[in-house]
Amino acid sequence: EIVLTQSPGTLSLSPGEGATLSCRASQSVSSSSLAWYQQKPGQAPRLLIYGASSRAPGIPDRFSGSGSGTDFTLTINRLEPEDFAVYYCQQYGTSPFTFGPGTKVDIK
Amino acid sequence: EVQLVESGGGLVQPGGSLRLSCTASGFTFSGYVMTWVRQAPGKGLEWVSAINGNGGSTYYADSVKGRFTISRDNSENTLYLQMNSLRAEDTAVYYCAKKLVGSGWGPWGNWGQGTLVTVSS
């Protein structure tokens, strides 16, 4: 099983600041099959990034993803009020299709 | 517009069974991998099971293997999750989700609103 570790656990930032979220895999993620999801309280997850760096339809360009192999990053430029949420990375290349524990981005 | 609507959740005793349904619309259901993901109260996301478009290939998390069965009825545009031998740790909101595009098993670009399963005596 590929174990995903996310850091930091919580990120306290102000609107307008940038955020850098990390996701590290216990072994190489095949074909960069790495996705990032955003989840707000009481809502279903929302796909942001797939294939490590491709934005899902309708996702603003302030969200970007990078990385390969075992190290991946989600970058959010200029945080908007609606961006404060929990972010999960997930690998879908090898079953079981594991999620990381999440990074909470909250308002400072 | 893609819509996924889960149903079938509720309160069940430990050791009991429940069948979840996910009714899909707005896309060619048989053409897409579908999956179930759950979230225990206050916890993170946990992938549960996935099935390919024709139902011929399935995967399960170790935590549910042998107890849960994923299936689909492409004529009814419906995804199912049969859950047997339920345990307290299966208590969660269960989401169904649809693969976005392309080959492989993910990512999952459309999600239902979730249905709550509570396992308790």
Side-chain angles (χ1 to χ4, degrees):
Chain A
E1 172 177 324
I2 297 178
V3 177
L4 299 179
T5 303
Q6 291 187 243
S7 60
T10 302
L11 203 48
S12 296
L13 295 166
S14 300
E17 291 190 294
T20 301
L21 286 64
S22 174
C23 176
R24 178 161 289 177
S26 61
Q27 55 187 279
S28 185
V29 175
S30 65
S31 303
S32 292
S33 299
L34 192 287
W36 290 92
Y37 297 85
Q38 176 194 69
Q39 189 180 34
K40 298 178 183 178
Q43 296 186 16
R46 174 193 182 197
L47 177 67
L48 299 175
I49 300 289
Y50 65 98
S53 61
S54 297
R55 265 188 303 275
I59 301 303
D61 61 8
R62 65 180 180 273
F63 291 93
S64 63
S66 63
S68 64
T70 60
D71 288 293
F72 299 89
T73 301
L74 174 70
T75 301
I76 312 171
N77 290 322
R78 300 178 310 278
L79 281 161
E80 297 285 343
E82 62 267 28
D83 298 337
F84 292 92
V86 179
Y87 294 82
Y88 297 94
C89 61
Q90 184 233 351
Q91 66 82 20
Y92 52 90
T94 305
S95 179
F97 306 122
T98 44
F99 286 91
T103 290
K104 183 178 183 180
V105 179
D106 65 14
I107 299 178
K108 190 174 185 180
Chain B
E1 179 194 2
V2 172
Q3 287 201 331
L4 301 169
V5 179
E6 301 96 336
S7 59
L11 175 64
V12 61
Q13 292 189 336
S17 298
L18 212 54
R19 188 177 83 158
L20 305 184
S21 300
C22 171
T23 303
S25 60
F27 64 101
T28 304
F29 182 68
S30 61
Y32 289 87
V33 166
M34 298 292 295
T35 194
W36 289 98
V37 173
R38 69 184 181 183
Q39 187 168 36
K43 302 298 184 182
L45 301 172
E46 181 188 14
W47 171 75
V48 173
S49 183
I51 187 169
N52 71 344
N54 64 17
S57 184
T58 58
Y59 285 114
Y60 296 92
D62 286 346
S63 58
V64 306
K65 202 173 293 183
R67 300 187 300 122
F68 290 11
T69 301
I70 191 171
S71 63
R72 63 193 298 159
D73 184 339
N74 287 343
S75 66
E76 296 290 333
N77 290 348
T78 303
L79 174 72
Y80 299 102
L81 186 68
Q82 177 67 45
M83 304 186 296
N84 299 330
S85 303
L86 282 161
R87 307 166 179 166
E89 54 265 35
D90 296 318
T91 294
V93 173
Y94 285 73
Y95 296 100
C96 71
K98 165 193 166 289
K99 181 172 149 48
L100 180 63
V101 288
S103 61
W105 289 83
W108 304 313
N110 301 92
W111 295 66
Q113 84 290 349
T115 187
L116 176 63
V117 172
T118 303
V119 184
S120 174
S121 54

